[in-house]
Amino acid sequence: MPFLLAMDLPAGSQVPFETNPQLPLDPIQLAVPLEIDEGDVESFDPVARAGDLAASLPRQWCGTFEPFDGNSTVDVTLDITQLTALGQMVDIRGTMTFGSVTTPVQGNLHAKSDQLDLIPLADPLIAGLEPGGVFLGLQGFSPTGWQAPRLVNVANPSTGVGGRLAMTSSCQDEIPVQPLW
């Protein structure tokens, strides 16, 4: 006799339990290991990649900072003095030079997602950057954008509206090549 869920059952009554013959609960069959295809399992090890990045990441980065407020582009260099793998993260310590202003910098690079955050630690920074802000990159060191430490007034450019930082690991000046003809 089927029971509807909306029926009230008297207290103390028993509902008969019927097993589903299509689903045997044999403990031997339940103990058989499940086979998984090779393509379904993620084999990426972010902890090992963090160790590799700490050992192989270039120690000098060069690039430019282009403020959003229309000021001139500033040359930037990043000199990494220490890289430490901490689980899936790479701890970054070093110095960053914006034009003529040099500041200590600290940051993290996530080994699995390549997300980067760099925090300039000096108090006097260049126009467009305020102490307490952070450079955020979703693809490693380039490109990264500035996240101000507070809300900014876009109508007043002196409030530090931020900018775009583009870095590359090749800091040598490229020799111009002239074609033969």
Side-chain angles (χ1 to χ4, degrees), residues 148-172:
R150 60 184 176 85
L151 294 176
V152 295
N153 183 0
V154 179
N156 183 3
S158 66
T159 60
V161 294
R164 180 179 180 270
L165 179 69
M167 305 285 284
T168 181
S169 62
S170 61
C171 292
Q172 283 78 18

Side-chain angles (χ1 to χ4, degrees), residues 46-47 50-51 54 83-93 107-109:
V47 176
L83 290 170
T84 308
L86 303 170
Q88 295 183 12
M89 304 294 282
V90 178
D91 181 49
I92 301 169
R93 307 289 170 115
N108 294 313
L109 176 65

Side-chain angles (χ1 to χ4, degrees), residues 47 102 120 137 142:
V47 176
T102 302
S142 186

Side-chain angles (χ1 to χ4, degrees), residues 59-67 71-80 94-105 116 118-120 125-129 135 141-146 162-173:
R59 300 296 197 246
Q60 187 173 28
W61 293 77
C62 299
T64 58
F65 175 70
E66 183 178 350
N71 285 335
S72 62
T73 302
V74 178
D75 290 331
V76 178
T77 59
L78 170 66
D79 294 313
I80 299 174
T95 59
M96 205 169 195
T97 303
F98 298 95
S100 62
V101 176
T102 302
T103 175
V105 70
L116 171 77
L118 282 175
I119 305 169
L125 293 171
I126 63 171
L129 302 179
F135 285 106
F141 285 89
S142 186
T144 59
W146 176 256
R164 180 179 180 270
L165 179 69
M167 305 285 284
T168 181
S169 62
S170 61
C171 292
Q172 283 78 18
D173 292 333

